[in-house]
Amino acid sequence: MFAGAQVSLYPMTDGFVDVIMSSLSALDPWRDRLRIETDDISTLIVGPPEVLFPALRDLYVAAAASRAHVVLRATLSRGCPGEPDDPICQTGALANPSEPLASRQAGALAALAEAPDTGEIARAQFSLYVMGAGDHMAEIMGCIDFLKSSGCFDRSKNFCTRLKGDSGPVFATLQEAFCRFGPPAGHVTIDLTVSANSPSIS
């Protein structure tokens, strides 16, 4: 399997270079379990979801701690048929393909109880795309039902769902959506935007 994210960080401050560079250091503890490649547009992070999402959380928390208005944009993908299998992506986090939807929803909710608090609020919106064979709408609606019970659900919007809360549970919720919905051997993607310290929040 291949799993990873293309991530871009956008600080709305004159000191954006310092915010980006200092935030990238939050990935250092994860580097031995991830493949990380940075260029002038984005950072590619490849690895198993149970490592990938905590690394994204730590990157976001470091940027949010700058107190600048910061937006993290990411496209996450697993099982893309156009990508070669990568041994670094071996994972036990994906749902059992024979497990009923209701059991996967219950498992996702149970996993959230272990999510740590970080002290940084995350306001996120994301869309889950389930591709390939099967009833993709059943999987997406099942994910939305899980989100509504997650404790992080804010509201539904056109084409996406909003989450809000401590970034620990928010990124754990995103991880469960990524791993438990859609076929384990199929192609699943997430389009994600997370905002910190927006001046439009009263």
Side-chain angles (χ1 to χ4, degrees):
M1 187 187 74
F2 188 95
Q6 288 282 2
V7 186
S8 298
L9 199 59
Y10 301 105
M12 268 61 86
T13 174
D14 289 344
F16 65 93
V17 173
D18 288 341
V19 173
I20 292 171
M21 297 307 293
S22 62
S23 298
L24 284 173
S25 67
L27 297 175
D28 289 348
W30 304 103
R31 287 184 186 273
D32 62 337
R33 299 183 63 194
L34 297 167
R35 178 160 56 87
I36 302 173
E37 301 171 8
T38 297
D39 61 26
D40 59 326
I41 296 177
S42 64
T43 294
L44 171 68
I45 306 176
V46 176
E50 63 271 26
V51 180
L52 176 62
F53 281 89
L56 290 177
R57 176 201 65 211
D58 290 354
L59 176 64
Y60 170 82
V61 167
S66 72
R67 303 277 68 91
H69 180 202
V70 177
V71 172
L72 182 148
R73 282 281 297 133
T75 301
L76 298 107
S77 176
R78 65 170 171 88
C80 178
E83 299 287 354
D85 288 344
D86 192 322
I88 201 171
C89 298
Q90 290 182 0
T91 179
L94 300 184
N96 184 325
S98 63
E99 193 175 4
L101 183 58
S103 297
R104 288 183 277 135
Q105 290 169 324
L109 289 172
L112 296 184
E114 301 177 14
D117 285 341
T118 67
E120 293 290 348
I121 297 298
R123 289 175 169 84
Q125 67 180 33
F126 82 105
S127 302
L128 176 76
Y129 299 101
V130 178
M131 289 165 273
D135 189 348
H136 69 282
M137 282 309 301
E139 292 294 319
I140 291 170
M141 296 309 297
C143 180
I144 290 171
D145 287 343
F146 152 68
L147 295 173
K148 288 180 177 178
S149 302
S150 68
C152 296
F153 180 78
D154 185 7
R155 65 182 184 273
S156 296
K157 295 177 63 177
N158 292 94
F159 322 123
C160 62
T161 299
R162 275 196 60 141
L163 305 177
K164 183 175 75 172
D166 185 274
S167 59
V170 166
F171 278 87
T173 299
L174 292 165
Q175 177 180 328
E176 295 304 312
F178 189 70
C179 293
R180 302 231 187 213
F181 301 94
H187 188 194
V188 174
T189 68
I190 282 179
D191 182 61
L192 173 66
T193 304
V194 193
S195 176
N197 311 315
S198 171
S200 64
I201 302 299
S202 56

